[in-house]
Amino acid sequence: IKIDGRPLSEIDPAAWRSHVAWVPQQPHLFHGSITDNIKLAKPSATPSEMIAAATAAHAHEFIQKLPRGYDTPIGEQGARLSGGQQQRLAIARAFLKSAPFVILDEVTSHLDAESEALIQDALDRLLRDRTVLIIAHRLKLVYSADQVVVMQQGRALEAGKHAALLAQNGLYRQLIASYEGGS
C-alpha cells in the first residue's frame, strides 16, 4: 500500500492515523456525554463545529430531543441509543475529523430503512472529495464508487466501475442480481 507514492510502512503510524476517519459496523461509544463521544475525533472542536458535524450526520435532530441534549450521558457502547443513532454519532465524528481518507466498514448493516436512508444521505456528503474504502455486503453503497473490487477468500477477483462490472457475466453481476432479488 502506498500513500502519495510512499510505502505505508515508511509513514509514522500516528501521522497516518491522523489522516484516517473510520466508521465501523458497531462504533465504540464510551460512557460519557454525547459531546464527549463526538469530540473524540477532535477534542479541540468548538461547539459550533461539533453541532455542524452532528447536523451533517443527521444526528443533531435526535440529540436535541434527548433530555439534556448534547450533555445527555450515554452508557458504555451507547446502550441508551438505537443502532442508527449510534452510527450517526460515528459519522458525526468522521465529519468533525475531516480526514482525507475514510474507511466505512458495513456502516448500514442491521439498520431499519429510515436509519439507512439518513445514513446514506450523510455519507453522500461526507465522502465528497475524499478517498474512501467501503467494505460492504449491502451493495447499494458501492454503486457510485469510482472503483469496485470484488473480493473472495482474500483475493481480488474483479475490479472496475459498477456499470462495467455489471456488463460482465462475473461474480459482481451475480451478487447484484442476488442483492436486488434477481432483477
Side-chain angles (χ1 to χ4, degrees):
I1 298 173
K2 292 185 178 183
I3 309 301
D4 289 332
R6 290 180 54 204
L8 184 58
S9 61
E10 294 177 7
I11 299 173
D12 174 58
W16 168 242
R17 282 190 294 273
S18 73
H19 289 85
V20 177
W22 177 47
V23 182
Q25 178 178 357
Q26 295 177 327
H28 191 87
L29 299 174
F30 300 89
H31 180 75
S33 70
I34 296 286
T35 294
D36 296 336
N37 275 276
I38 294 174
K39 287 180 74 172
L40 284 172
K42 183 180 174 186
S44 64
T46 66
S48 61
E49 288 174 317
M50 183 191 56
I51 290 170
T55 300
H58 292 294
H60 181 70
E61 185 176 325
F62 86 77
I63 292 169
Q64 285 188 305
K65 293 177 182 175
L66 295 173
R68 293 173 45 198
Y70 284 85
D71 294 326
T72 300
I74 58 173
E76 192 74 23
Q77 298 291 12
R80 296 181 181 108
L81 302 174
S82 72
Q85 290 169 332
Q86 292 173 20
Q87 278 300 64
R88 285 181 271 164
L89 289 181
I91 292 168
R93 283 181 189 161
F95 270 110
L96 189 61
K97 187 168 187 177
S98 193
F101 184 65
V102 179
I103 300 172
L104 303 176
D105 186 0
E106 295 289 349
V107 296
T108 59
S109 64
H110 311 298
L111 298 179
D112 60 54
E114 181 181 350
S115 290
E116 183 176 2
L118 288 171
I119 286 171
Q120 183 63 55
D121 182 67
L123 291 175
D124 289 345
R125 284 191 305 279
L126 174 65
L127 306 182
R128 285 186 200 134
D129 302 319
R130 289 182 169 86
T131 300
V132 182
L133 173 61
I134 300 174
I135 302 159
H137 286 95
R138 286 191 175 180
L139 297 175
K140 186 176 181 180
L141 285 174
V142 301
Y143 287 178
S144 62
D146 294 330
Q147 180 82 339
V148 176
V149 179
V150 181
M151 304 287 294
Q152 187 176 50
Q153 296 178 345
R155 295 186 45 204
L157 297 181
E158 301 175 24
K161 290 188 175 281
H162 170 75
L165 291 174
L166 276 181
Q168 300 173 14
N169 192 22
L171 181 58
Y172 185 75
R173 183 175 176 163
Q174 293 171 20
L175 291 169
I176 294 297
S178 175
Y179 175 73
E180 294 181 350
S183 60

